[in-house]
Amino acid sequence: MQRQQLLYTGKAKSVYETENPDYLIMHFRDDTSAFNGERIEQLDRKGKVNNRFNAFIMQKLAEAGIETHFEQQLSEDEVLVKRLKMVPVECVVRNYAAGSIVRRLGLTEGQALNPPTFELFYKDDGLGDPLVNESLSISLGWATQTQLDEMKKLTYQVNDVLSNMFDKAGLMLVDFKLEFGVFKDRIVLGDEFSPDGCRVWDKETKKKLDKDRFRQGLGDVVEGYEEVAKRLGVPLD
C-alpha cells in the first residue's frame, strides 16, 4: 500500500491514509519530545530503531494471542496498521515506582509494586494527561465498562508476556503505557510499544535505557534504545 493524505501528525509519528479505508501507514520520525511537547529534538536513527522495536514487540504479542493493529513493516521507518477508533485514555502498568507516581505519593524510585498497579490517564497534552478513573471515562463517553474491562485485561496480559521477556534479557520493565482502539467492534492494541513509552532499567546496575535518558539529560538516548533492542533480539540491521 502507498501513502495517501496525511491524517495526523503526533509528537514522534505521522499517520497517513492508504487506498484501503481500513488501514493506515504510520511513519516513525526522529523527533523526540518531553514534558508534553515542551522540549523537542531530533535524534538520528530513532525513528528506525523505534519502528523495528515496535514491530518485534507487536509480533511477540500477536504470538501470545493479543490482537494488535500491526499488519506489517513496510520500510525502515514505516509500518502498515489497522485503522482504529482510538479510546482517548492511556492504560499504564507499573511494576516498580518511577516517574509521576513517585512525585504523587512520595514513593522511593525503584520500589517494587506487587501486584503491579493499573492506572488510566486522559490523553490531552494541554491538560498534562491527567489521571482519571473508570467512572469518569464512562460518564464522559470515552469508553464503556465492557471496553475498559477488556483494556485492563489485555494490559495485564501484555505485562505478563513482556515482563518475562525483558527479565530473561537482564532488564527490568519498570512501567509502560498502552493505547487501545476499536476495530470492527473489537478492542485492539494500537499506537506503539517502544522505549519512548516505557521505562526499562538494567537489572543489575539500574541504568536507565529509555526515554528518561532524554527527559533527565543523561545523553546516549538512541544508544540506550539500541541496547534494549539488542538484548531482546530485535533485528536492527
Side-chain angles (χ1 to χ4, degrees), residues 27-136:
H27 173 225
F28 287 77
R29 307 193 312 272
D30 287 338
D31 295 335
T32 305
S33 68
F35 314 117
N36 291 320
E38 292 180 13
R39 179 183 167 204
I40 300 175
E41 293 181 19
Q42 288 246 322
L43 299 177
D44 186 48
R45 307 189 311 281
K46 176 178 173 283
K48 169 185 171 181
V49 171
N50 276 3
N51 185 37
R52 295 193 175 188
F53 194 105
N54 175 68
F56 178 86
I57 295 295
M58 291 291 173
Q59 288 167 336
K60 291 296 183 183
L61 295 177
E63 291 169 8
I66 298 167
E67 185 178 7
T68 81
H69 70 156
F70 175 84
E71 288 293 309
Q72 66 180 101
Q73 188 175 325
L74 298 175
S75 67
E76 287 188 343
D77 57 6
E78 289 184 331
V79 62
L80 182 69
V81 297
K82 300 180 182 74
R83 183 173 193 155
L84 309 183
K85 181 180 179 182
M86 299 303 294
V87 177
V89 292
E90 296 175 343
C91 299
V92 173
V93 161
R94 302 181 189 274
N95 296 303
Y96 302 90
S100 65
I101 197 170
V102 170
R103 297 188 295 272
R104 277 188 279 129
L105 301 180
L107 304 181
T108 301
E109 185 177 69
Q111 176 181 334
L113 301 172
N114 188 23
T117 66
F118 175 85
E119 296 171 314
L120 295 173
F121 292 83
Y122 177 49
K123 279 184 58 61
D124 188 307
D125 288 344
L127 297 175
D129 296 337
L131 179 69
V132 295
N133 57 33
E134 292 187 8
S135 178
L136 275 171

Side-chain angles (χ1 to χ4, degrees), residues 53 167 234:
F53 194 105
D167 182 70
V234 178

Side-chain angles (χ1 to χ4, degrees), residues 3-10 13-17 29:
R3 284 188 188 181
Q4 304 287 329
Q5 183 175 342
L6 176 65
L7 183 65
Y8 170 76
T9 299
K13 297 185 296 294
S14 299
V15 179
Y16 296 84
E17 294 182 328
R29 307 193 312 272

Side-chain angles (χ1 to χ4, degrees), residues 129-184:
D129 296 337
L131 179 69
V132 295
N133 57 33
E134 292 187 8
S135 178
L136 275 171
S137 301
I138 295 167
S139 293
L140 295 175
W142 299 334
T144 67
Q145 184 66 64
T146 299
Q147 289 172 336
L148 291 169
D149 290 345
E150 182 69 6
M151 290 162 59
K152 186 174 184 178
K153 182 186 79 172
L154 290 171
T155 299
Y156 275 122
Q157 287 178 358
V158 169
N159 191 45
D160 288 343
V161 172
L162 297 187
S163 292
N164 183 54
M165 185 189 310
F166 279 62
D167 182 70
K168 289 179 178 178
L171 299 165
M172 296 167 58
L173 183 56
V174 175
D175 60 30
F176 61 87
K177 73 171 182 70
L178 297 179
E179 296 181 31
F180 293 89
V182 179
F183 183 76
K184 300 187 184 301

Side-chain angles (χ1 to χ4, degrees), residues 185-196:
D185 298 323
R186 305 189 304 277
I187 285 289
V188 173
L189 176 61
D191 197 46
E192 66 172 295
F193 192 102
S194 76
D196 266 4

